Amino acid sequence: MVTDNQIIHKRIRLRIPRNFHQEPIISRLVSDYGLTINITAAILGANAVGDGWFELDLQGTVAKIDDAINYLQEIELEIWDENSTSSW
């Protein structure tokens, strides 16, 4: 059983639209939610044209990861995790 204070890893894919390119979204996951982030893959167009796609490994407590995911959902970013994608 996983408790809210247990440290876990959660893999997500995140689409960051062009209008968010100047926002420090990944930095906020670290500073505001205390997560350790490993960027395992990324696609960002030349000169930051178009959407950015990131595959992230989030490490932190269950509660902090849940709070961070809620933040990403509140700002209406597209998020996929292991449960919502068929092939990673």
Side-chain angles (χ1 to χ4, degrees), residues 7-78:
I7 302 292
I8 64 164
H9 286 267
K10 181 173 183 77
R11 285 182 36 191
I12 65 169
R13 286 185 180 165
L14 177 65
R15 183 179 74 87
I16 300 180
R18 178 172 156 61
N19 59 319
F20 279 92
H21 283 191
Q22 297 303 314
E23 298 293 323
I25 293 168
I26 294 174
S27 176
R28 283 191 179 132
L29 296 178
V30 174
S31 62
D32 294 354
Y33 299 96
L35 300 180
T36 299
I37 306 290
N38 185 22
I39 301 170
T40 57
I43 300 173
L44 188 61
N47 299 320
V49 175
D51 296 343
W53 296 85
F54 296 86
E55 188 170 300
L56 305 175
D57 177 54
L58 311 177
Q59 180 181 352
T61 65
V62 172
K64 289 189 182 261
I65 289 176
D66 287 346
D67 289 345
I69 297 293
N70 287 336
Y71 155 70
L72 296 171
Q73 290 172 335
E74 286 173 5
I75 61 173
E76 300 181 351
L77 297 184
E78 290 182 59

Side-chain angles (χ1 to χ4, degrees), residues 72-86:
L72 296 171
Q73 290 172 335
E74 286 173 5
I75 61 173
E76 300 181 351
L77 297 184
E78 290 182 59
I79 307 163
W80 294 266
D81 63 16
E82 302 94 355
N83 299 321
S84 60
T85 58
S86 59

